[in-house]
Amino acid sequence: MNCNQVITRIEDYCDASLGPEDRQAVAQHLDGCESCYRKVRAERRWRLMLAEPVSEPDSGFEQRMLQAAHGGGDARRRWTTPVVGAAMAACLVGGLFLGQWLPSGSEPSGAPVVGPVASQDVETVNLAFESGKALQDVTLTLELPPHAELASMPGERRISWQVNLEKGENRLALPLRTLFPGEGELVARVQHGNQTKTFRAAVGGTQRDG
Amino acid sequence: MFLTRSQAKEFDRLVKPHLRMLYRFACRLTGNPDDAEDLVQEVMLKLYPKTQELREVEDLQPWLNRVLYRCFVDRSRREKRRHEQAFSDLGSDEDHNAFLDRFSGEGLGPLADMENDRARTMIHSALDELAPDQRALIVMYDVEGWPQDDIAEVLDVAPGTIKSRLSRCRARLREIILAKMEP
Ligand SMILES: [Zn+2]
């Protein structure tokens, strides 16, 4: 094998993906050719430099990530800022009263927990409410204003889910992405049997928790 | 989108064991810990409503990597940090040869044996200039050493195409590095 043939095989040689015969031929050539040997070392050198050690996240990392998923938004900013109230006021949805949407006392009731927090351009609105008993086949429909979409369902303006409610706390997390500055209305319809409740909330555009 | 308390617990159980691995991949892709954590967080937001779907995935690790990769590509596109650059189809052997001569670190030229720190910085800034999909491929293969099948799943391409794609990405990367080495 000559130098040119070796050079065309350097990449595969360093990947250890040459067949046994080629591999041996290259190795033999390298034994006697200082110039090609240097090239192989250069190939290995630059590849090695690609790999820098990666820093490990701190011990609270997992908790923060799961909390962000549950509570919606940026867990890191969420609890460290003293102006959580202001942050919430600046956020997307002021409050969707999903609680008290059915008249009877045995049906879901209770105050909603609204925890919207900004994270990059995705702002998650988190709704939680108590249900007095388990309910099957509740239909939840969301209609989004033109300037927002669900991060997990880009382009969808109207989304419906068939959900079951557990007795006790139920949560609804809405990761909303603001596509462009604007104002609009988010409409949520909750339907169980022949009962329907409609909720509307203003969805602002661009305000962020610095 | 709508999770009961038990579903929320299920989400934690499924995802938690993979979080550090996701962070590591995110670090490699974004190049810094803050962006990495933001990226993982975005993935969590995206997946939380899909807990049911997660439960049905046989091997979560590559599946999660794929979601993270998609988020990374989307994000890069949105930020327009990396602009698509047309690059020569396949770097020629001559180019490769020229690169190796300049990068040999054994006194072939004034820049050849630049000290390691400078060379490393140059390589990483070159890596940052690659298109997101190219960067991801280099990270997965050359840096993390993942099996080709796993990489193919993340990129959603046929496993048989990985090597040729890789060759192109490396050629492009060398091209950028060489340009940086020009005096
Ligand atoms: Zn030779």
Side-chain angles (χ1 to χ4, degrees), chain A residues 42-121:
Chain A
E43 178 75 15
R44 291 196 168 129
R45 177 177 183 234
W46 85 274
R47 287 197 198 178
L48 263 179
M49 284 180 175
L50 282 170
E52 284 196 317
V54 167
S55 64
E56 281 289 311
D58 60 71
S59 58
F61 165 73
E62 276 107 334
Q63 205 45 46
R64 278 199 303 281
M65 293 301 102
L66 296 175
Q67 199 175 14
H70 296 194
D74 194 327
R76 286 176 295 168
R77 260 160 279 184
R78 188 174 190 190
W79 304 115
T80 52
T81 168
V83 288
V84 171
M88 287 193 177
C91 274
L92 287 179
V93 177
L96 281 179
F97 282 83
L98 283 179
Q100 298 160 10
W101 58 274
L102 290 169
S104 151
S106 64
E107 305 288 2
S109 67
V113 178
V114 183
V117 184
S119 158
Q120 295 287 326
D121 57 346

Side-chain angles (χ1 to χ4, degrees), chain A residues 15 39 52 64 76 173, chain B residues 1 28 37-38 101 163:
Chain A
D15 283 339
K39 291 180 210 295
E52 284 196 317
R64 278 199 303 281
R76 286 176 295 168
Chain B
M1 190 53 51
R28 294 287 191 208
E37 190 158 331
D38 273 352
D101 282 346
K163 280 290 282 189

Side-chain angles (χ1 to χ4, degrees), chain B residues 23-78:
Chain B
Y23 174 85
R24 183 184 170 89
F25 186 29
C27 256
R28 294 287 191 208
L29 292 176
T30 62
N32 80 73
D34 268 354
D35 287 348
E37 190 158 331
D38 273 352
L39 188 59
V40 175
Q41 186 166 284
E42 190 181 330
V43 171
M44 292 300 100
L45 288 173
K46 204 165 200 163
L47 292 182
Y48 189 62
K50 298 183 179 174
T51 302
Q52 299 271 33
E53 203 178 316
L54 284 181
R55 199 180 297 159
E56 282 152 29
V57 176
E58 209 170 289
D59 189 358
L60 258 185
Q61 188 148 322
W63 193 89
L64 291 171
N65 282 333
R66 182 164 159 181
V67 175
L68 187 120
Y69 165 73
R70 289 271 168 81
C71 285
F72 168 70
V73 171
D74 285 350
R75 181 178 277 219
S76 306
R77 222 166 262 158
R78 286 201 305 274

